[in-house]
Amino acid sequence: MTARIGVVTFPGSLDDRDTQRAIRVAGAEPVALWHKDKDLKQVDAVVLCGGFSYGDYLRAGAIARFSPVMDTLIDQAKAGLPVLGICNGFQILTEAHLLPGGMLGNDHLHFICRDQKLRVENAETAWTSDYTAGQEISIPLKNMDGRYVADRRTLDELEAEGRVAFRYLARGEAADGYGNPNGSLNDIAGVTNAAGNVVGLMPHPEHAVEPLIGTGRTDGLPFFTSILKKLVNA
């Protein structure tokens, strides 16, 4: 039986079709979900894709968090449904308190778009098991509000519990994709909840699943093969 992974579209979503394609490339069935519907169509996992939901008015992800689909998603995520938030999706997950911390504008106050070097810190979540801890990957990054922040106690808990999923690689030159691109605290690019079923990150793995697009590499594909193996073996 083919795993079914839902992709939620909000007003202002940009990467829903790209995400659906990435899911298809990995071997699962993408299922389009509309933000006004509470029905998740019995999917096995959900991706909140990138974009600018509601134009990022008020605050990135703040309005989308109250879309009807989120009522169902929040309850099911707390019950164990695997959920991945990419860029704006990560912002929505923090606004919904499914992930800790929050997002502020990039410290240089500019939109950034580039290939970004990351280090995999946690390879034991539902979305990262096809990576190895310490692995260095390159994933496209594009955001205006990508600066991850949290209070010191939260940061200490994330570090102590191994819940930093991805970190920006700090060495080298920024022009080569290294360095912290937005001022995120502790160089954090992505985090996971304690159960490991909810993961959020700012870079876009759906743009790195085929050699002819994005970075020209497939470093993002393991996100989607990881969840497929998790579902198949569940």
Side-chain angles (χ1 to χ4, degrees), residues 122-130 162 165 192-193 195-199 226 230:
N122 186 330
E124 299 180 0
T125 78
W127 299 92
T128 61
S129 61
D130 263 2
T192 178
N193 68 343
N197 64 302
V198 180
V199 172
S226 292
K230 168 76 173 177

Side-chain angles (χ1 to χ4, degrees), residues 47-147:
V47 180
L48 300 180
C49 66
F52 302 90
S53 58
Y54 295 92
D56 279 350
Y57 292 111
L58 182 62
R59 187 174 59 249
I63 301 177
R65 175 263 176 272
F66 292 101
S67 289
V69 71
M70 292 301 298
D71 292 336
T72 307
L73 183 66
I74 290 170
D75 289 341
Q76 293 200 21
K78 290 179 178 178
L81 179 74
V83 179
L84 174 65
I86 301 171
C87 195
N88 189 234
F90 186 12
Q91 295 162 342
I92 295 170
L93 290 177
T94 62
E95 291 289 339
H97 302 298
L98 287 173
L99 290 175
M103 296 293 177
L104 296 177
N106 298 340
D107 59 354
H108 45 72
L109 304 180
H110 294 287
F111 181 85
I112 187 169
C113 182
R114 74 182 197 190
D115 295 341
Q116 178 67 48
K117 306 288 179 135
L118 304 176
R119 183 172 62 247
V120 180
E121 300 284 14
N122 186 330
E124 299 180 0
T125 78
W127 299 92
T128 61
S129 61
D130 263 2
Y131 292 109
T132 57
Q135 183 177 350
E136 297 181 4
I137 61 177
S138 181
I139 303 285
L141 175 74
K142 50 178 186 177
N143 64 71
M144 181 68 187
D145 299 296
R147 178 160 51 114

Side-chain angles (χ1 to χ4, degrees), residues 8-11 33-39 54 67-70:
V8 180
T9 298
F10 298 91
L33 301 175
W34 183 236
H35 75 109
K36 284 190 174 182
D37 298 328
K38 290 189 175 184
D39 181 11
Y54 295 92
S67 289
V69 71
M70 292 301 298

